[in-house]
Amino acid sequence: MGEVDPAFIQEPEHRPKLCFSEAEGIPMIDLSPSREKDPCALDRLVREIGSACKEWGFFQVINHGVPLDHRHKVEAAAREFFGESTQEKNKVRRDAVKVLGYYDTEHTKNVRDWKEVFDFSVEEPTLVPSSLDPHHHDLTHWHNQWPHYPPPLRDVCQEYAKDMVKLALELMELIALSLGLPQKRFQEFFKDQTSFIRLNHYPPCPSPDLALGVGRHKDAGVLTILAQDDVGGLEVKRKSDGEWVRVRPTPNAYIINVGDIIQVWSNEAYESVEHRVMVNSQKERFSIPFFLNPSHYTMVEPLEELVNEKNPAKYKAYNWGKFFVTRKRSNFMKLDVENIQIYHFKV
Ligand code: OGA
Ligand code: NI
């Protein structure tokens, strides 16, 4: 990526401010009580998680149980992979059929992102609908495309995926408790999950005032667990005043954010929050989000325990598989229309 192609340029109202404020108050949560036997400490943790989901939709966690060497190995492999020649990376390039692998032309809201990515799914293969048509019920398998270089990439990614699923399910148990639900309430949705992991590389950009690493968006899935390096660039739209604030990198912590599906399941008790990534002219940046997604056959709708006459369901049920493949397609191609969003299912 050389000079800035017009495809990357954001509309003036979406351009980042180069002088930014760092977020004060994004909650930092210590997860150790979730593995200890002290019911009072667990209760406090559940309340902390609940208020972070409500007030921010974003929080960081420490003492999360993910082995640091697993994270370091994936970070090192990602750095090596993106350092390979374009020709080498293109050997695992995604296309309209093979949707996992390497690509550098993702669009968010139809503006190109200043980044290159490598996607792989947690379940191998991952089962999804083969067509966007709501009347078609055929399924297809998504297969990962593993590069030959660097050789350890496959193993370290698969090991890390297991760590991510474990942490995500633990977080979902805490979120369930915080909503007054049984601890395992969400478990059934993650059999045959469509979760995936993305290795992100944001190269230095000559015009960080015009382009974004990822344009403003909300994550469509259940929950995201993000590892970011020490460069910084993630900005969150603060709920209290709508300001864009930067999430300060904390070594070895993970950033957690509520996705659209939690917003629907909780009938908007918890809302997903808009975020974006700034790039900078000096330093490249790496990040690794894990996107927790349910099975393709999940019908996403407000949980019946959380709706009643006074608080009726705010969304109609929608099929996750169809939603997901529609979204994947629109991020891949520049379209004339806005991509699918949960508000299309608003009652
Ligand atoms: C995303 C995202 C943030 C980052 O990929 O959805 O928000 O810091 N990434 O890379
Ligand atoms: Ni995101």
Side-chain angles (χ1 to χ4, degrees):
M1 291 182 209
E3 64 196 38
V4 177
D5 185 291
F8 292 99
I9 298 182
Q10 298 283 332
E11 292 295 333
E13 69 270 31
H14 299 310
R15 289 179 195 164
K17 287 204 207 82
L18 291 188
C19 82
F20 51 81
S21 54
E22 241 165 25
E24 287 306 327
I26 282 202
M28 177 65 82
I29 298 180
D30 180 346
L31 284 185
S32 38
S34 118
R35 273 156 268 124
E36 289 157 10
K37 294 274 170 285
D38 176 356
C40 288
L42 178 62
D43 200 48
R44 264 198 308 277
L45 171 60
V46 166
R47 272 183 282 129
E48 261 184 281
I49 297 260
S51 67
C53 289
K54 216 174 185 55
E55 310 301 331
W56 281 91
F58 260 86
F59 53 97
Q60 302 202 56
V61 294
I62 50 170
N63 294 321
H64 41 63
V66 178
L68 192 54
D69 65 312
H70 291 187
R71 172 166 171 175
H72 285 165
K73 282 192 281 184
V74 184
E75 286 172 341
R79 211 170 258 279
E80 267 191 76
F81 172 74
F82 290 118
E84 296 284 342
S85 66
T86 308
Q87 188 193 3
E88 197 57 42
K89 290 184 280 196
N90 278 339
K91 290 183 184 164
V92 292
R93 191 174 187 88
R94 97 167 258 198
D95 58 34
V97 182
K98 291 178 281 182
V99 305
L100 299 163
Y102 170 77
Y103 57 121
D104 59 1
T105 54
E106 190 168 68
H107 292 78
T108 302
K109 305 203 193 298
N110 286 325
V111 181
R112 194 163 156 197
D113 292 333
W114 192 271
K115 68 176 182 190
E116 51 180 346
V117 311
F118 176 78
D119 285 349
F120 62 96
S121 65
V122 165
E123 296 279 339
E124 286 203 77
T126 295
L127 206 52
V128 293
S130 60
S131 129
L132 310 180
D133 184 335
H135 305 292
H136 272 248
H137 298 293
D138 290 352
L139 298 175
T140 186
H141 289 105
W142 284 352
H143 290 276
N144 285 328
Q145 304 195 73
W146 296 108
H148 289 297
Y149 297 100
L153 186 124
R154 178 183 187 148
D155 284 351
V156 299
C157 284
Q158 288 172 332
E159 177 178 62
Y160 188 69
K162 290 202 190 99
D163 297 331
M164 288 295 106
V165 170
K166 182 159 173 269
L167 174 57
L169 295 183
E170 190 177 319
L171 288 164
M172 290 311 293
E173 292 188 0
L174 295 166
I175 289 174
L177 292 172
S178 79
L179 289 165
L181 300 166
Q183 190 164 0
K184 305 275 182 198
R185 177 64 174 90
F186 294 113
Q187 195 164 285
E188 58 174 305
F189 300 112
F190 303 110
K191 187 177 175 292
D192 307 319
Q193 61 187 285
T194 56
S195 304
F196 72 103
I197 292 182
R198 169 167 288 176
L199 309 179
N200 274 314
H201 175 222
Y202 303 96
C205 174
S207 302
D209 51 333
L210 301 176
L212 287 167
V214 185
R216 79 202 149 89
H217 68 284
K218 295 177 178 182
D219 294 343
V222 174
L223 183 93
T224 305
I225 303 179
L226 177 81
Q228 69 165 340
D229 68 11
D230 59 1
V231 173
L234 175 64
E235 293 193 317
V236 174
K237 196 166 184 172
R238 186 161 53 198
K239 272 182 79 169
S240 58
D241 59 2
E243 278 295 308
W244 286 104
V245 292
R246 186 174 279 221
V247 182
R248 183 186 299 142
T250 303
N252 314 330
Y254 285 97
I255 299 164
I256 313 297
N257 67 282
V258 165
D260 287 339
I261 293 180
I262 288 187
Q263 175 167 329
V264 175
W265 277 342
S266 73
N267 206 29
E268 294 187 352
Y270 300 160
E271 287 168 332
S272 61
V273 172
E274 218 164 33
H275 53 284
R276 66 184 185 186
V277 175
M278 281 178 66
V279 278
N280 84 67
S281 56
Q282 305 297 320
K283 288 189 198 157
E284 61 182 343
R285 174 175 182 264
F286 295 87
S287 74
I288 310 173
F290 163 84
F291 299 101
L292 178 70
N293 292 331
S295 59
H296 76 84
Y297 48 79
T298 297
M299 291 303 292
V300 182
E301 61 188 321
L303 297 178
E304 59 183 9
E305 303 94 308
L306 301 179
V307 299
N308 55 44
E309 257 169 47
K310 279 217 197 88
N311 181 20
K314 297 188 161 90
Y315 296 87
K316 290 176 281 198
Y318 62 92
N319 173 261
W320 167 249
K322 294 286 183 190
F323 188 100
F324 188 41
V325 297
T326 308
R327 207 29 120 67
K328 275 268 177 215
R329 175 174 157 276
S330 61
N331 292 350
F332 179 60
M333 284 182 281
K334 186 170 169 14
L335 304 174
D336 297 331
V337 291
E338 187 200 32
N339 60 18
I340 190 168
Q341 304 285 348
I342 50 166
Y343 71 72
H344 297 143
F345 301 96
K346 251 321 284 201
V347 171

